[in-house]
Amino acid sequence: LPIVAPLIEARWTPDTQIFGGRVRLVGSAVAITRDEAFLNPFLPPVEGVDSRRASGQVDWRASYTTQGGVRFEPFLFARGDAYSVSDLPGGGGDVSITRGVATAGVDVRYPLINSFGESGHIVLEPIAQLAISPDSDLDPRIPNEDSLVLSLDETNLFRPNKSPGFDLYEGGARLNLGARTTFDWGDGRWVRTLIGRSYRSDPENAYGPGTSLADTESDWILAVEAQPIEGITAWGRARFADIADFRRTEVGVNWDFSRTRGYARYFKDEFNPLVPGVRREDFEAAGEVFVTRNWGVVFDGTRDLEKNLWRRSEIGVVYQDDCTRIEVVYQRNETAVLGPTDAVFLRLNLATLGDAGYRRRYDDR
């Protein structure tokens, strides 16, 4: 594991519009130091690659709506990166690398709204995004540190650059198409859906096959979220090439009532981004149940359905008041390499200094 320090990020959006649109400036810098790296688990470690990156970015976006209700949002994006890389393998030594990235495009949306009942409404919104950039020409000497896990889903389908970090970027011409729907009954019940896919003029060599972004046509993306009753939110998301070939599936439920809250989730991925060629299938659940106002039970567990073991499991007792949350937890970890380990530990959260309780697995969007 490397040392990441310092990590600096800055953003600034001027109050005034420029050329009728909003401008945002972004600066980022990071230094990563790695003493050693294991390139092969059967060989001794080698000297790790150290890298330093500084980036400056500017993006501009405007919005125009026609009398018919069609919304056009043109955008421009430009970024410059400067890298300093040391201890490259194979005697590569130290190098300094600079590069530039630019993208121009437009989002087109046409929201259609219809009311029903006393307070219900339906929204159907077709979406198209065209983005054009120079073809990606990634320097192999730049280590990929911040974009290792990349997969197409509903959160990045309409991003001009789908890479989560700076080290990779998306080039070429691409067209992202989809439709978003919302059914709202006006009484706390609602359903939201999104379906779409991405098209490219040429294959993208920067992305691996498991991302669904390397070919000229991506997989289909489907996402559904619903609140059937107050306090329960269910969701599902999938990536599939056709109806008989699902590459990634995730379904789950959150619950949040006066004395209990938690989540349960099933996840299956045919292309594990961390271990290529190995399928991942998990079930996990976490939550808390308060027997009295202050005392309750907490639980957390992840079941590896491929290896048929509990990768992590926790159960404990919790005390909580307006200022303090204290948990005494028994934890068991199982891995195929190291075997099971057991521990008992204490968690302490002060209301003014930290977060308390479980975190929702899938936030409302």
Side-chain angles (χ1 to χ4, degrees), residues 42-64:
F42 303 101
L43 297 177
V46 299
E47 190 172 14
V49 176
D50 303 332
S51 64
R52 292 151 294 278
R53 174 186 55 78
S55 301
Q57 174 179 308
V58 56
D59 64 79
W60 172 88
R61 178 180 287 267
S63 180
Y64 307 97

Side-chain angles (χ1 to χ4, degrees), residues 293-294 319-325 350-352:
R293 182 178 182 276
N294 300 109
Y319 170 83
Q320 180 174 293
D321 56 30
D322 294 337
C323 300
T324 307
R325 180 185 174 96
L350 302 179
T352 57

